[in-house]
Amino acid sequence: MRKRIIQLSLFLLLLAYLPLSTLCRPFVLVLSQDDLSDPTAPPNHDDATTDFDDFPDSESKPDSDLDPGSWSPIFEPDHSFKNPNPSPNELNHYYNAVGKMVEAASKGEVGVMEEAVAEIEAAAEAGKPHGQSVMGFIYGMGMVKERSKAKSFLHHCFAAQGGNMQSKMALAYTYYRQEMHDKAVKIYAELAEVAVNSFLISKDSPVIEPIRIHNGAEENKEALRKSRGEEDEDFQILEYQAQKGNAGAMYKIGIFYYFGLRGVRRDHGRALWWFSKAVEKGEPRSMELLGEIYARGAGVERNYTKALEWLTLASRQHLYSAYNGMGYLFVKGYGVEKKNYTKAKEYFEKAAENEESGGFYNLGVMYLKGLGVRRDLKIATKNFALAANAGQPKAFYQLAKMFHTGVGLKKNLPMATALYKLVAERGPWNSLSRWALESYLKGDIGKAFLLYSRMAEIGYEVAQSNAAWILDKYGERSMCMGESGLCTDAERHQRAHSLWWKASEQGNEHAALLIGDAYYYGRGTDRDYDRAAEAYMHAKSQSNAQAMFNLGYMHEHGQGLPFDLHLAKRYYDQALEVDPAAKLPVSLALASLWVEMIDSLPEVYPKVEVWVEDVIMEEGNATILTLIACLLTVLYLRERQRRNNAAVAIAVEIAAAAHPQQPPPPIVQEAF
């Protein structure tokens, strides 16, 4: 394994952040030899006082614990968790006010929204951080309050100091947009650590990214169909097969409930029941998940001994990811007599040899900290790179930390900030996406818009895109609320423009295209052909055919770009190369372009006519041109005769060689 790792070149490592949805932007990180810092590092003698990978033991906790002030008690009340220090009146008023705000957004009731905002504002003025966080959102939106970035920022600052995680996300994103990486990196690092703390020990849950509810100008029906939870026909068929005793179906149903996939609400109790049924039929993947459940105490009392037993059974069924969990228990000394780094390394290597990302990650941690091996930052970096290339979130965190601190990699705050942000967006506040999608699927557009707007504020590009699309698609049905009631058309256009702009900053090509349209047509902003061209150029750089077509049109008509028919044709041709479906509009545009060129001929024709009269039709010049034409004709005919004679001569030689007794045929010369 060590030999294989060393053989990997560090001159180019591509780390792709693989999204679950087909619509999420890939994130590519290029590492070169120059990124490496001094690989020599002193051995680590302090491993006994630190956690294996800097994260405390993961436990199953409700979102309200990991994300104080979360709206989960409104959307996903969890009665299985009890607050050890109940304070009935402390949060009740807050959640009642937020619930009233959500319902007002759902029904478009401005009066009810004003009451809710007044209650939340009272909580904020009393110093309640969660109330301050929501007021930051309200001022940022301009919802029954004047829109004020300054007041929004101030409220989020106070809320973040009080421990509100979503306000910390909002602040970090604000600094990130302003390229204040020294401030953004510190907040994102803290948020990323919170996100990673809840991950599993042997293999991480599937990446649950926000679903993009649109695909360009159309609704993304396929993605929405797969997100209907228990109402989805495919899920119901799978559940029926599980009830009939199909072990594979039992496992999949358990996975849906355990991770909360495809719109299914998380339910560890149901997941445990289905996994237990599946292992009765010898299903190995369920054995591994039972090991995870007992190791984390998810829905059951934590029991490391049982966890090791189930993981061991799974590994005997050649489920190599289970080796990660076993190695973790040995490196921590859980469920075994004592810590055993040698045994742990052996298990991690078995997992890595079978392309398990967790194996690469855990080996990276051992080499980073010098646990049971000689500390080697270069090998640690390579292992983290391989794990991140497979989408392992903890590996992204470790690489971000290395860029942040300059240990193993040269200090690079912009890169560290971007990587921390990727990990932080997997935190429990991501639940907003699930609730927004559920609302949208139920036809509650107002509630969906409110939830996506909250996510947009804290930096999720997909949420920014979804909220903007709802405004453009549904208009008044979006229940968008402005300072003095429901939004006017102008307010909706302005708000959609702001959301599309933020999404375009994060690489959304469709958003950049729509920004160009907004400037071109003057929707939600003043008409500005120069800025429209700039936005189209940004979308074109991401191979957007529509943007290429628009640039061609602007060159053709000299709008925001120089009048240039040649460049116009080039952009039209590029649009067709990128998207063959653009053949009809491109053909029409090219026809229009030829008409433009023909229309310009009258300006040239008089000059050509004068030249013909002055040069060609002059008596002496006409005679000379006639003689030259005759001479060229004679030369052409003589060259033709020469080639014909050469061909006949070759044919005679071939015939003579084949039949030496026969006289050669006469050569007939062509006369002229």
Side-chain angles (χ1 to χ4, degrees), residues 420-497:
Y420 277 139
K421 182 176 185 290
L422 288 175
V423 181
E425 288 182 349
R426 295 192 183 190
W429 33 87
N430 193 19
S431 298
L432 285 164
S433 172
R434 184 166 63 253
W435 307 330
L437 183 61
E438 287 177 358
S439 300
Y440 182 81
L441 291 172
K442 292 176 181 178
D444 195 338
I445 307 302
K447 186 182 294 184
F449 173 69
L450 179 77
L451 293 167
Y452 279 131
S453 297
R454 175 63 163 174
M455 283 193 78
E457 180 193 38
I458 62 179
Y460 286 83
E461 179 273 319
V462 175
Q464 293 164 350
S465 171
N466 285 348
W469 188 81
I470 287 175
L471 286 171
D472 287 342
K473 177 74 173 179
Y474 292 95
E476 293 181 357
R477 288 184 58 198
S478 67
M479 301 302 174
C480 167
M481 291 194 186
E483 182 177 347
S484 57
L486 294 176
C487 294
T488 63
D489 289 344
E491 286 176 322
R492 281 195 300 273
H493 283 312
Q494 192 277 333
R495 194 168 294 183
H497 177 83

Side-chain angles (χ1 to χ4, degrees), residues 499-526:
L499 288 164
W500 284 126
W501 185 264
K502 291 177 181 178
S504 71
E505 288 178 342
Q506 300 199 67
N508 185 316
E509 65 176 69
H510 180 68
L513 180 67
L514 290 177
I515 288 295
D517 290 345
Y519 280 120
Y520 186 87
Y521 295 106
R523 290 200 300 253
T525 184
D526 295 332

